């Protein structure tokens, strides 16, 4: 799929939206419909998520109805449900970020910019990405067990609404001195590694909330998962890690890196766990495996740059013009 071909007919599309994340759903719907109409697209079919179904069933219904592109509008849970439903299909995913987390949107450089997300969708530049699978659930960015999920669990929705992504720093500070977990990490068929770790991350791409690049070498379509085992024990260790990450230094202290097609993590006690910034049930183990090339994703630029955010700023400018033009039509 290529974003440069303007001769293709406009695609049938659907919007899967979490209504809780939108203050004015009718106004939001008008903005999206008008922008798509200005781009020559037919009116999309809209599906609202529910507490019982955060988007999986709605996305599957949209695919069954013939959608060629699904626009996911919501936080991490909505986007991840759409990823799970679309993995293994030829239907593309576009992200219209809402909420405060939006790990996949952060890796696309979209932040919470609706206009940029709409522009990326209508330009139809797509790449086939790998996804990770944990049981019957998929993730596009990363899975985690331990501290990363702990800070998500410790950050309230109210604080996130007030502060945005820096709210996660508040949650992090509360757990810096918690005791580590004893883990066994099996990389593919190798003998298990045993560590006292604070967190084990399994990533397909490398950005965290706020755009911090945790895994500089992680590529979204190389057929590998990047595994990071974090072993800080003191406040000094945490500060050294943060300094290395923010300064984009090559080596991050107290972090071991591995690559795997399948990774199995087993802890000595139940731990909080997350997929793409969305909490799942706590557990003592987490097993993830790669599904190469399983997802078509709308990206700012379709070339094979390892950074999915390439051209995001320019797409935001074009998107702002698209939305402005739609308002005057």
């Amino acid at each position: 799929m290529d974003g440069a071909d303007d001769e293709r007919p406009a695609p049938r599309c659907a919007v899967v939206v979490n209504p809780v994340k939108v203050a004015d759903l009718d106004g939001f719907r008008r903005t999206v419909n008008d922008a798509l109409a200005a781009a020559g697209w037919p009116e999309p079919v809209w599906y609202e998520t529910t507490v019982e179904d955060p988007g999986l069933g709605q996305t599957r219904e949209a695919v069954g109805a013939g959608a060629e592109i699904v626009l996911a509008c919501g936080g991490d849970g909505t986007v991840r449900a759409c990823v799970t439903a679309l993995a293994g299909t030829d239907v593309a995913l576009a992200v219209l970020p809402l909420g405060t987390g939006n790990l996949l949107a952060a890796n696309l450089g979209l932040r919470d910019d609706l206009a940029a997300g709409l522009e990326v969708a209508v330009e139809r530049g797509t790449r086939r990405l790998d996804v990770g699978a944990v049981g019957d659930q998929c993730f596009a960015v990363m899975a985690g067990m331990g501290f990363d999920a702990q800070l998500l669990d410790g950050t309230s929705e109210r604080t996130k609404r007030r502060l945005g992504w820096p709210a996660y720093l508040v949650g992090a500070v509360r757990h810096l001195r918690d005791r580590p977990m004893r883990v066994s990490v099996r990389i593919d068929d190798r003998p298990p590694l045993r560590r006292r770790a604070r967190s084990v991350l399994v990533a397909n791409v490398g950005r965290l909330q706020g755009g911090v690049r945790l895994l500089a070498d992680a590529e979204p379509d190389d057929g590998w998962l990047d595994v990071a085992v974090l072993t800080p024990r003191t406040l000094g260790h945490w500060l050294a890690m943060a300094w290395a990450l923010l300064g984009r230094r090559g080596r991050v202290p107290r972090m071991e890196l591995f690559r795997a097609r399948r990774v199995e993590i087993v802890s000595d006690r139940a731990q909080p766990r997350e997929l793409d910034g969305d909490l799942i049930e706590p557990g003592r183990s987490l097993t993830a495996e790669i599904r190469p090339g399983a997802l078509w994703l709308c990206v700012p630029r379709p070339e094979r740059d390892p950074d999915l955010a390439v051209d995001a700023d320019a797409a935001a400018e074009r998107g702002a013009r698209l939305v402005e033009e739609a308002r005057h039509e």
Side-chain angles (χ1 to χ4, degrees):
M1 300 176 78
D2 189 330
D5 183 2
D6 294 327
E7 301 303 317
R8 294 173 296 167
R12 290 168 293 180
C13 66
V15 179
V16 176
V17 61
N18 181 350
V20 174
K21 298 289 186 180
V22 187
D24 178 6
L25 185 57
D26 289 338
F28 179 80
R29 186 190 294 254
R30 283 194 300 273
T31 298
V32 172
N33 285 351
D34 290 349
L36 295 179
W41 285 26
E43 184 172 330
V45 181
W46 286 73
Y47 300 86
E48 294 184 18
T49 68
T50 64
V51 173
E52 296 75 22
D53 188 341
L56 184 67
Q58 295 89 339
T59 306
R60 286 175 174 165
E61 185 177 345
V63 171
E68 297 169 272
I69 295 179
V70 171
L71 288 78
C73 311
D76 289 315
T78 305
V79 173
R80 186 173 66 79
C82 293
V83 168
T84 297
L86 296 179
T89 76
D90 287 326
V91 179
L93 171 68
V95 180
L96 303 185
L98 301 170
T100 54
N102 289 298
L103 265 182
L104 184 54
N107 279 275
L108 291 169
L110 299 180
R111 298 176 295 277
D112 57 353
D113 192 333
L114 172 63
L118 285 166
E119 184 66 22
V120 169
V122 301
E123 288 181 356
R124 298 169 70 183
T126 54
R127 284 178 63 172
R128 188 182 281 279
L129 268 58
D130 306 332
V131 299
V134 174
D136 59 358
Q137 302 182 74
C138 293
F139 63 92
V141 181
M142 65 180 65
M145 182 172 175
F147 174 76
D148 58 302
Q150 201 171 31
L151 72 89
L152 293 172
D153 192 30
T155 306
S156 70
E157 288 295 326
R158 180 179 178 182
T159 306
K160 287 192 287 186
R161 285 194 297 270
R162 189 170 72 248
L163 300 180
W165 72 262
Y168 294 107
L169 300 178
V170 177
V173 169
R174 294 174 183 162
H175 295 288
L176 289 181
R177 295 185 181 275
D178 290 359
R179 69 187 177 103
M181 56 184 175
R182 295 183 182 274
V183 291
S184 166
V185 182
R186 183 183 288 275
I187 304 293
D188 295 323
D189 295 325
R190 302 178 212 167
L193 305 165
R194 303 191 188 282
R195 298 288 188 272
R196 294 185 65 198
R198 292 301 314 279
S199 184
V200 182
L201 295 169
V202 183
N204 186 42
V205 290
R207 276 194 174 90
L208 302 175
Q209 282 93 347
V212 175
R213 196 78 181 267
L214 177 68
L215 299 166
D217 295 330
E219 297 187 17
D221 51 7
D222 61 358
W224 291 95
L225 293 168
D226 290 73
V227 182
V229 182
L230 279 61
T231 59
R233 296 187 183 180
T234 68
L235 182 58
H237 291 161
W238 283 113
L239 291 174
M241 288 180 64
W243 182 256
L245 288 171
L246 295 174
R248 298 187 178 182
R249 288 164 172 76
R251 181 181 175 277
V252 178
R254 314 300 299 189
M255 183 171 79
E256 293 181 89
L257 298 177
F258 306 92
R259 306 186 86 200
R261 301 194 190 280
R262 185 178 187 275
V263 57
E264 181 181 0
I265 308 156
V266 179
S267 170
D268 61 339
R269 62 189 189 276
Q271 297 291 333
R273 305 180 301 166
E274 57 91 7
L275 303 180
D276 280 355
D278 185 39
L279 287 167
I280 60 173
E281 286 293 318
R284 287 191 57 207
S285 66
L286 182 73
T287 300
E289 43 194 349
I290 194 74
R291 292 180 59 183
L295 179 71
W296 282 110
L297 180 67
C298 295
V299 299
R301 183 180 291 181
E303 284 84 357
R304 288 182 53 85
D305 194 297
D307 187 353
L308 294 176
V310 169
D311 201 41
D313 290 340
E317 294 178 5
R318 296 192 296 272
R321 291 195 295 270
L322 172 68
V323 170
E324 188 63 28
E325 290 168 6
R327 286 177 179 150
H328 289 90
E329 285 189 359

